[in-house]
Amino acid sequence: MDKKEDGPGPRCGHTLTAVAAVGEEGTPGYIGPRLILFGGATALEGNSAAAGTPSSAGNAGIRLAGATADVHCYDVLTNKWSRLTPFGEPPTPRAAHVATAVGTMVVIQGGIGPAGLSAEDLHVLDLTQQWPRWHRVSVQGPGPGPRYGHVMALVGQRYLMAIGGNDGKRPLADVWALDTAAKPYEWRKLEPEGEGPPPCMYATASARSDGLLLLCGGRDANSVPLASAYGLAKHRDGRWEWAIAPGVSPSPRYQHAAVFVNARLHVSGGALGGGRMVEDSSSVAVLDTAAGVWCDTKSVVTSPRTGRYSADAAGGDAAVELTRRCRHAAAAVGDLIFIYGGLRGGVLLDDLLVAEDLAAAETTTAASHAAAAAAASNVQAGHLPGRYGYGDDRTRQTMAEAAADGSVVLGNPVAPPMNGDIYTDISTENALLQGPRRTAKGVEYLVEASAAEAEAISAALAAAKARQENGEVESPDRDRGAEATPSGKQTSSLIKPDSVGTNNITPGGVRLHHRAVVVAAETGGALGGMVRQLSIDQFENEGRRVSYGTPESATAARKLLDRQMSINSVPKKVIAHLLKPRGWKPPVRRQFFLDCNEIADLCDSAERIFSSEPSVLQLSAPIKIFGDLHGQFGDLMRLFDEYGAPSTAGDIAYIDYLFLGDYVDRGQHSLETITLLLALKVEYPNNVHLIRGNHEAADINALFGFRIECIERMGERDGIWTWHRINRLFNWLPLAALIEKKIICMHGGIGRSINHVEQIENIQRPIPMEAGSIVLMDLLWSDPTENDSVEGLRPNARGPGLVTFGPDRVMEFCNNNDLQLIVRAHECVMDGFERFAQGHLITLFSATNYCGTANNAGAILVLGRDLVVVPKLIHPLPPAISSPETSPERHIEDTWMQELNANRPPTPTRGRPQVTNDRVLVLTPQSAGLDKRQVRRARLVATTRFTLTKVEVAVRVH
């Protein structure tokens, strides 16, 4: 390795690849994160290689020359270039090739050189050891063949994907995959489902850390630049599927660059054809894959590190002019984005641009921000927070503009962590093998939990930048990568993402994260949903609300699911119709969109799955846990919108969903809630999990709204039939879930009778509520005592025969079963979650403003792979500004809900004093939709085992 600083010089058509550090920081042999630049064209045909000298040919018809196989390394820590001379046989000189990182290796394929198309061989630059070495990977069978202008990325930390390009005859649209976990190595041509990109070349592709590949732009067979973007993902059943990405790109382009920073795809530069390039603010665009929108590009500012061609010389705006280029290359290290070289008109560029994505940086720890601030201070002494500038190794300049929220801000990197990296090794036989991952201080900022990471990203990117009143930025801790272990080590990329579970990691102790993510809402303002981090200990006294913004941004395109799902089955129809986190609105007409036959098909499919599952589910982290929903479908959509949705466009590929019951009753949209959850269960049977609550029983939901809703929205005959069919399905629901054998989730509690998990496992299903034992009663109906000072068993205000259990019972149960945490629902709590028994039990409630009166927040728990529990909150929406005159349908709907809840007041919110006066629910057979026999039976049930509280329900037959 030549230790002298030796920059690549002017070039285009090269690749720039981020490679993670090797070894332990501070130990001998440690090598920090690097950027590897390979190949490219160093001259234009008939033109000098020097940058800054325009070609007489102008932009149109430029032909590249001077193809090279040089390797240059940029040390991110020292900010210096070095030229590498690896051992082994190098690839032939080439440009318009592809490269991607596989741990500490760079895999290179294809391209075009002086002699024409390069061979299709896979060349690997191994950077694991101190001395880099070239290898050629032996691949059996046919493959993509020689091509150029294509894309390649590592998907799901396992599959090497090559897509499109030109074989010298025509643009292509084929998809090839090489499984790095299967030997001998072999290319396999895929036929993904869904609508994919047309044949094109000069597109870009980048893989999100969770395994979603985004391909955008390109030039089609008619030389027309494309603006579309497509996502490619692998389902856990092995199917690959294309889907059109949401939103509309601000400009078509090709020969551009794109790179992911967390869930944001940064697209820079590009050509339009005919000698034109992407101009003005469209030269940089950001696709927020979590929010499903292209971000305002005016918030993105880039600045040069070095270079001879300046914005001032161009006489244009720096942010626009610097990114106005094509045939350049980009890479990301943590929240930093690097761009090198390219072509602007007839000028080859040699500048290195670096920018920081502050919106993505919101998901880093305070330590990461401190590092970024320190890095920014390296640009110029006295550099002020909230400002950004660009520097040169020879000259230092500053920019006076203040950084806008969500902007991309320059900063010299200081030991930044790598995004989505993996670690493998290469043997002397040129085979890809597993290798250990280092533990570096820079990476330790990243690791919290992969599930928490994805959700924090989704929340932060869907919202504006959060602020503390004192001006200090408090950011969520960065979570672990998809394969990170609690020790900070990274498991090999050769493990299937869908097989990672308890056998692949050794989880540490369960602990509650010290901060919770909060999204609140008000009608005023247009800030789009502010997000902040609050200390867990602040929630008891937390009363302020954060501006949520107007629903204008909620009209962002949600085409992905609608395009990728044909309405050929009921589950797909339900998902396409209802799973619209930003676009769902209550139906103007209350008529439900499914008929009873379709609901029967849906229930049949779901029942077959539930009947094959045990009474106690055995689940793995990462996982999101939801509490009571009670027909408040709008809250479910808000939670999906803020913290990720179970879809190909969301996070279903790498995080499971667990719902703790009480899907129906009390809310206005029980039918939407239960049908969507059942459809998701059918579509993702191994990823979406439902257990039973006390309202999943005919005797209960006949009284508390679900039966009436079915009749009111489907007609009496079909509504009653639907209500009966769904309740038969409820009898099959699992009763509890065990996560990583350390956390048990249930609806109610352990009561007086449950001492061992085996007691729940032994309950045979299907089981109607009235046939249940005392174990089932305790499981679905019991509650913790008022606080940790009240021990033992106490009578439950819900009714005779029900109990509350103290913290001593919680500790006894956990000790008996080697558990560390109980997560239960069943009670409304003001902050959406509440700790009990010194944190060994958490009550979770996901519906906000329960029954329109509680004004409580809703929450979910996100359990990371390292078993860190992160609460994620939403606050109640304020009342809509409407009137019966302007919104008669809404008025009728609200009146219907208010009358029902006024006649059946809910159990008092946990921690609030109970009302002293008894309220009596008077039901006639007509108003309840029951005949007298059913009302007598309901009365018997309500006044014995199932009474919710003495002030809540008493039934009289008139």
Side-chain angles (χ1 to χ4, degrees):
M1 179 183 297
D2 188 353
K3 295 298 182 181
K4 296 184 302 180
E5 181 172 352
D6 187 2
R11 66 181 62 207
C12 65
H14 52 288
T15 54
L16 188 68
T17 309
V19 177
V22 177
E24 300 282 347
E25 188 173 1
T27 61
Y30 170 75
I31 303 174
R34 293 160 287 176
L35 302 178
I36 301 299
L37 187 149
F38 173 77
T42 59
L44 305 177
E45 189 171 280
N47 187 29
S48 168
T53 307
S55 167
S56 60
N59 287 346
I62 290 177
R63 299 180 64 86
L64 304 181
T68 178
D70 292 345
V71 181
H72 291 80
C73 172
Y74 180 79
D75 190 314
V76 176
L77 300 182
T78 63
N79 302 330
K80 290 187 178 181
W81 283 104
S82 296
R83 180 172 177 177
L84 304 184
T85 307
F87 294 109
E89 180 184 354
T92 58
R94 62 189 69 195
H97 54 283
V98 290
T100 191
V102 180
T104 50
M105 301 179 300
V106 177
V107 180
I108 294 167
Q109 197 271 339
I112 189 167
L117 290 175
S118 303
E120 67 170 332
D121 295 342
L122 278 181
H123 296 269
V124 173
L125 178 61
D126 183 12
L127 299 159
T128 306
Q129 307 302 321
Q130 185 177 5
W131 305 107
R133 177 180 293 274
W134 283 111
H135 298 279
R136 184 177 298 175
V137 178
S138 175
V139 181
Q140 296 186 354
R147 62 180 66 197
Y148 71 99
H150 53 308
V151 298
M152 186 170 71
L154 187 72
V155 175
Q157 303 187 8
R158 174 173 176 176
Y159 298 96
L160 204 61
M161 311 291 293
I163 304 172
N166 192 309
D167 62 358
K169 301 176 183 178
R170 62 191 181 280
L172 306 169
D174 51 351
V175 181
W176 294 83
L178 186 147
D179 187 351
T180 62
K183 293 183 180 179
Y185 298 120
E186 182 178 8
W187 283 109
R188 182 165 64 96
K189 188 174 182 180
L190 303 181
E191 299 293 340
E193 300 176 1
E195 182 180 350
C200 65
M201 58 189 297
Y202 294 132
T204 58
S206 184
R208 206 166 66 178
S209 60
D210 63 346
L212 174 69
L213 181 138
L214 249 294
L215 184 146
C216 66
R219 190 177 73 188
D220 67 10
N222 297 317
S223 298
V224 176
L226 304 175
S228 53
Y230 297 83
L232 179 63
K234 180 177 182 291
H235 294 279
R236 294 197 178 186
D237 60 6
R239 293 179 296 114
W240 291 86
E241 184 174 14
W242 282 112
I244 297 178
V248 179
S249 172
S251 173
R253 67 187 82 209
Y254 64 93
Q255 293 177 344
H256 51 294
V259 64
F260 263 112
V261 177
N262 293 329
R264 291 160 60 93
L265 183 74
H266 291 257
V267 181
S268 59
L272 295 172
R276 297 176 299 121
M277 284 189 288
V278 179
E279 303 285 351
D280 56 55
S281 61
S282 299
S283 62
V284 177
V286 180
L287 174 58
D288 179 349
T289 61
V293 296
W294 289 85
C295 299
D296 182 1
T297 56
K298 293 183 180 180
S299 67
V300 181
V301 178
T302 59
S303 302
R305 182 68 55 84
T306 64
R308 302 173 188 171
Y309 187 87
S310 67
D312 293 336
D317 176 74
V320 173
E321 189 62 29
L322 286 169
T323 53
R324 192 174 68 87
R325 61 184 67 206
C326 63
R327 297 180 182 264
H328 53 293
V333 178
D335 298 324
L336 298 178
I337 305 158
F338 296 85
I339 297 174
Y340 187 86
L343 184 66
R344 183 186 291 120
V347 180
L348 284 175
L349 306 175
D350 71 339
D351 50 356
L352 175 65
L353 310 184
V354 59
E356 182 184 8
D357 184 349
L358 284 188
E362 282 299 303
T363 61
T364 62
T365 61
S368 298
H369 279 281
S377 68
N378 291 339
V379 176
Q380 181 179 10
H383 185 65
L384 298 177
R387 303 169 72 88
Y388 42 74
Y390 56 91
D392 187 295
D393 287 344
R394 296 175 292 272
T395 63
R396 303 293 184 185
Q397 303 175 0
T398 59
M399 295 175 64
E401 294 88 343
D405 290 351
S407 62
V408 179
V409 178
L410 166 72
N412 287 346
V414 176
M418 302 300 299
N419 272 343
D421 52 13
I422 56 160
Y423 282 76
T424 59
D425 200 353
I426 199 163
S427 69
T428 55
E429 293 78 25
N430 302 333
L432 299 175
L433 301 176
Q434 288 183 240
R437 176 181 171 91
R438 67 184 175 96
T439 303
K441 294 179 182 177
V443 176
E444 288 173 354
Y445 306 152
L446 281 169
V447 295
E448 200 56 59
S450 60
E453 173 187 17
E455 297 314 303
I457 290 168
S458 298
L461 297 177
K465 182 183 175 184
R467 288 194 178 99
Q468 286 292 90
E469 273 192 22
N470 59 7
E472 295 179 1
V473 178
E474 290 195 2
S475 303
D477 287 348
R478 183 72 62 86
D479 307 311
R480 295 187 184 274
E483 303 299 327
T485 64
S487 64
K489 301 290 182 180
Q490 186 93 354
T491 60
S492 167
S493 67
L494 307 187
I495 298 174
K496 292 183 180 180
D498 52 336
S499 65
V500 175
T502 56
N503 295 332
N504 303 114
I505 59 174
T506 306
V510 179
R511 60 190 178 93
L512 184 65
H513 198 281
H514 67 286
R515 294 195 175 277
V517 177
V518 184
V519 175
E522 294 179 5
T523 55
L527 299 181
M530 296 291 284
V531 177
R532 61 175 170 171
Q533 299 277 311
L534 294 178
S535 168
I536 292 296
D537 296 325
Q538 287 181 329
F539 276 94
E540 291 297 328
N541 300 314
E542 176 60 29
R544 291 179 290 117
R545 294 290 183 262
V546 186
S547 176
Y548 182 79
T550 64
E552 294 173 0
S553 60
T555 60
R558 183 66 180 176
K559 299 178 182 178
L560 194 59
L561 282 172
D562 294 333
R563 293 283 190 104
Q564 75 184 36
M565 292 181 176
S566 59
I567 312 301
N568 295 328
S569 67
V570 176
K572 283 182 167 54
K573 176 180 178 179
V574 172
I575 293 173
H577 189 84
L578 294 179
L579 187 56
K580 299 177 180 178
R582 291 202 169 187
W584 183 84
K585 294 181 180 180
V588 175
R589 295 182 177 180
R590 290 285 290 167
Q591 181 69 35
F592 195 52
F593 73 100
L594 295 179
D595 60 35
C596 60
N597 291 323
E598 291 173 310
I599 290 178
D601 292 340
L602 180 62
C603 289
D604 290 345
S605 300
E607 189 173 290
R608 283 192 292 270
I609 299 172
F610 291 135
S611 63
S612 67
E613 294 180 329
S615 294
V616 178
L617 302 172
Q618 301 290 327
L619 307 179
S620 300
I623 192 168
K624 281 188 277 191
I625 308 172
F626 292 70
D628 289 24
L629 294 169
H630 279 299
Q632 296 187 202
F633 190 75
D635 285 336
L636 179 61
M637 291 299 100
R638 287 180 61 203
L639 288 165
F640 284 168
D641 182 26
E642 297 296 346
Y643 302 125
S647 67
T648 305
D651 53 19
I652 194 64
Y654 63 95
I655 187 169
D656 283 7
Y657 284 70
L658 173 61
F659 298 86
L660 301 186
D662 278 12
Y663 313 114
V664 301
D665 283 345
R666 300 201 178 278
Q668 303 175 39
H669 301 101
S670 291
L671 280 170
E672 281 87 351
T673 303
I674 188 58
T675 54
L676 177 61
L677 294 181
L678 292 178
L680 290 171
K681 179 64 180 178
V682 174
E683 283 295 294
Y684 308 106
N686 298 319
N687 312 108
V688 175
H689 313 282
L690 280 66
I691 65 173
R692 190 174 188 176
N694 62 302
H695 280 256
E696 278 69 68
D699 288 333
I700 301 303
N701 59 52
L703 295 173
F704 293 95
F706 183 47
R707 188 177 191 274
I708 295 176
E709 179 181 336
C710 291
I711 295 172
E712 187 252 345
R713 301 185 65 186
M714 300 187 68
E716 183 171 3
R717 183 180 64 87
D718 288 353
I720 292 176
W721 190 95
T722 295
W723 175 75
H724 279 294
R725 180 63 188 94
I726 293 177
N727 273 290
R728 289 201 305 274
L729 171 73
F730 287 159
N731 294 335
W732 280 103
L733 287 175
L735 302 172
L738 197 60
I739 305 175
E740 301 287 0
K741 301 188 183 301
K742 292 182 180 294
I743 303 171
I744 190 167
C745 302
M746 59 188 67
H747 180 74
I750 56 176
R752 83 217 86 178
S753 63
I754 304 176
N755 298 304
H756 298 280
V757 176
E758 289 79 8
Q759 293 175 261
I760 309 173
E761 293 174 335
N762 292 335
I763 297 177
Q764 299 298 311
R765 297 169 296 134
I767 181 170
M769 189 73 73
E770 61 270 17
S773 63
I774 191 69
V775 172
L776 185 64
M777 294 301 304
D778 282 342
L779 187 66
L780 300 184
W781 285 91
S782 64
D783 300 299
T785 54
E786 294 178 4
N787 53 62
D788 283 4
S789 65
V790 182
E791 297 186 336
L793 297 172
R794 303 296 175 94
N796 194 323
R798 292 181 185 271
L802 302 178
V803 299
T804 61
F805 53 92
D808 52 333
R809 281 281 295 136
V810 173
M811 299 308 298
E812 178 186 14
F813 180 82
C814 288
N815 291 334
N816 289 344
N817 297 276
D818 194 24
L819 298 173
Q820 297 182 19
L821 178 65
I822 299 173
V823 178
R824 47 92 62 174
H826 194 42
E827 283 186 289
C828 179
V829 288
M830 285 306 296
D831 292 318
F833 75 102
E834 183 177 288
R835 293 169 291 173
F836 182 75
Q838 297 181 339
H840 290 279
L841 182 146
I842 296 177
T843 296
L844 183 64
F845 202 84
S846 296
T848 67
N849 195 25
Y850 185 42
C851 290
T853 60
N855 199 34
N856 62 287
I860 63 173
L861 299 180
V862 179
L863 178 69
R865 204 176 295 279
D866 57 357
L867 302 189
V868 173
V869 180
V870 182
K872 305 293 179 77
L873 280 69
I874 56 172
H875 281 301
L877 289 171
I881 302 176
S882 62
S883 65
E885 291 76 16
T886 59
S887 182
E889 296 87 356
R890 181 61 182 267
H891 175 67
I892 294 171
E893 183 176 330
D894 287 346
T895 303
W896 177 80
M897 179 195 73
Q898 291 166 2
E899 289 178 354
L900 285 174
N901 285 325
N903 288 329
R904 44 185 171 84
T907 305
T909 303
R910 184 171 176 82
R912 282 188 173 181
Q914 299 185 15
V915 294
T916 55
N917 61 309
D918 289 359
R919 296 189 62 181
V920 177
L921 167 63
V922 179
L923 290 179
T924 66
Q926 294 76 22
S927 65
L930 309 175
D931 58 33
K932 291 188 177 183
R933 180 186 59 81
Q934 290 172 316
V935 171
R936 290 192 185 96
R937 183 183 179 194
R939 178 186 181 188
L940 177 64
V941 172
T943 56
T944 55
R945 294 184 302 174
F946 292 109
T947 302
L948 296 185
T949 84
K950 67 176 182 178
V951 303
E952 184 167 342
V953 56
V955 181
R956 296 174 183 170
V957 178
H958 286 235

